[in-house]
Amino acid sequence: MSTDTTPKAAGKLEGAAGDDSPAPAARVGRVAAWTFLIFIIVISIFPFYWALRTGLSNNGVLLSGDGSFLPPDASLINFQRVLGLLSAEEAAEFRGTGSFDFGRALRNSIIIATCVTFFQVAFSAMAAYAFARLKFTGRDKLFNLYLAGLMVPPIFVLIPNVILIRDLNLLNTLPGVMAPFLLMTPFAVFFLRQFFLGINRSIEEAALLDGAGHGRTFFEIILPMAAPQITTLAVLTYVQSWNEYLWPLVVAGDPEVQPLTVALGVFTTQQPGTSPDWSALMAATLLAALPVLILFAFTARRLVDSIQFSGIK
């Protein structure tokens, strides 16, 4: 057998080795993947754009518009109405008779979401550490029983919780709106327990040898190590509490304690004439979603990394 060692053959071999461009099939697959991703992004963002278009539109010409992608008679008047920057007479000129105190509802949502997030994450972290590290009889069985709570739909405990809140005289109060969510949840305990199980025991054993108890070890060593996971859980809890609708709707009939979700629902029923005040409703919805979108924008990367680390999908 002979080997072709001519300069022409050597050039072909060098060209084949140095060619890093993808094969045609791989190039087509990459283009198809990017096309699909762009399509999904457009589909996901389009409702937000349409809400913005409606919020910028004049309520009087909204239904008679030509259906174009640009807002008819665009202005910021609806956002000014929602923020209480216009009088009732000025709002009536734009066929918007419905109104609600956006600032008060925003304040209630912030108070409820912040308190629920703080207490729920704190209690869940302590419970998760106990299930991951402390040794006591029936620990694993108790954890599995507690985890079974994930299978119980929240609607099943709605009526008992309402009766309990009523007997405690907490109806139409902020503590009553927050009460069922202040303690730990099965998901939060499971989420943090997965991380605590992965911490090297030698770190805790070294702390115990230095005289630190379980409490000091938890607060001064474990919690700082779990900061990314706790931050992720806090973001998830805050968003869930911010979007909670059913429970506040049942126990918060007084506008003084209603969060944004319930206040927007009440605002929808204040119909000027025969149709809802869609323009102001969309403007209020966008303003209500803005704090959560900003929070997610700053924590999205950490949130995804922590979920991948914990193995939760």
Side-chain angles (χ1 to χ4, degrees):
M1 177 180 291
S2 64
T3 303
D4 187 1
T5 57
T6 61
K8 184 177 180 180
K12 289 182 178 179
L13 291 175
E14 290 176 358
D19 188 7
D20 295 331
S21 59
R27 195 179 303 122
V28 172
R30 185 174 300 176
V31 171
W34 274 108
T35 304
F36 179 73
L37 286 175
I38 293 173
F39 175 75
I40 294 297
I41 291 173
V42 171
I43 292 296
S44 302
I45 294 178
F46 186 76
F48 292 95
Y49 169 73
W50 200 255
L52 177 63
R53 173 197 177 274
T54 305
L56 293 174
S57 303
N58 187 319
N59 209 37
V61 299
L62 182 63
L63 298 180
S64 60
D66 55 1
S68 66
F69 286 96
L70 297 178
D73 197 8
S75 71
L76 295 174
I77 200 73
N78 296 305
F79 292 90
Q80 293 175 329
R81 287 174 50 203
V82 171
L83 294 174
L85 302 179
L86 293 182
S87 64
E89 293 76 13
E90 292 173 321
E93 295 179 5
F94 297 89
R95 302 182 183 180
T97 59
S99 64
F100 76 104
D101 194 331
F102 182 84
R104 181 179 61 197
L106 177 64
R107 179 203 64 193
N108 291 337
S109 288
I110 292 175
I111 293 175
I112 294 170
T114 303
C115 291
V116 168
T117 300
F118 176 79
F119 287 104
Q120 190 176 122
V121 171
F123 289 134
S124 298
M126 290 187 280
Y129 181 73
F131 281 124
R133 284 293 191 257
L134 301 187
K135 296 180 180 178
F136 53 90
T137 305
R139 183 192 66 177
D140 293 339
K141 293 181 180 178
L142 180 61
F143 175 71
N144 292 333
L145 180 63
Y146 182 67
L147 206 60
L150 285 171
M151 304 296 111
V152 179
I155 193 69
F156 279 19
V157 295
L158 178 65
I159 299 302
N161 282 339
V162 170
I163 295 174
L164 178 61
I165 293 298
R166 182 200 62 188
D167 293 344
L168 293 174
N169 293 322
L170 292 178
L171 287 177
N172 294 320
T173 63
L174 287 178
V177 178
M178 295 184 283
F181 311 102
L182 290 180
L183 299 179
M184 60 270 193
T185 64
F187 169 77
V189 174
F190 174 74
F191 180 83
L192 291 179
R193 178 179 175 271
Q194 295 301 104
F195 172 75
F196 292 150
L197 288 174
I199 296 178
N200 195 332
R201 284 183 178 272
S202 62
I203 298 175
E204 298 168 74
E205 291 170 356
L208 293 174
L209 288 175
D210 289 339
H214 285 294
R216 187 178 175 187
T217 302
F218 174 71
F219 286 106
E220 296 186 5
I221 297 177
I222 301 300
L223 278 187
M225 293 176 65
Q229 285 69 31
I230 288 178
T231 303
T232 300
L233 179 62
V235 172
L236 294 175
T237 305
Y238 197 92
V239 173
Q240 185 177 15
S241 178
W242 187 275
N243 294 329
E244 183 66 32
Y245 176 72
L246 181 59
W247 176 255
L249 177 67
V250 174
V251 300
D254 187 352
E256 289 292 330
V257 298
Q258 288 178 344
L260 273 171
T261 49
V262 178
L264 286 173
V266 175
F267 181 71
T268 307
T269 63
Q270 299 172 343
Q271 300 181 2
T274 57
S275 62
D277 191 354
W278 291 116
S279 297
L281 179 62
M282 290 297 104
T285 302
L286 284 175
L287 290 174
L290 199 58
V292 177
L293 292 176
I294 294 174
L295 179 66
F296 185 79
F298 281 102
T299 58
R301 180 71 179 181
R302 174 170 292 186
L303 192 149
V304 173
D305 290 344
S306 297
I307 290 177
Q308 288 177 340
F309 182 85
S310 299
I312 298 175
K313 298 180 180 179

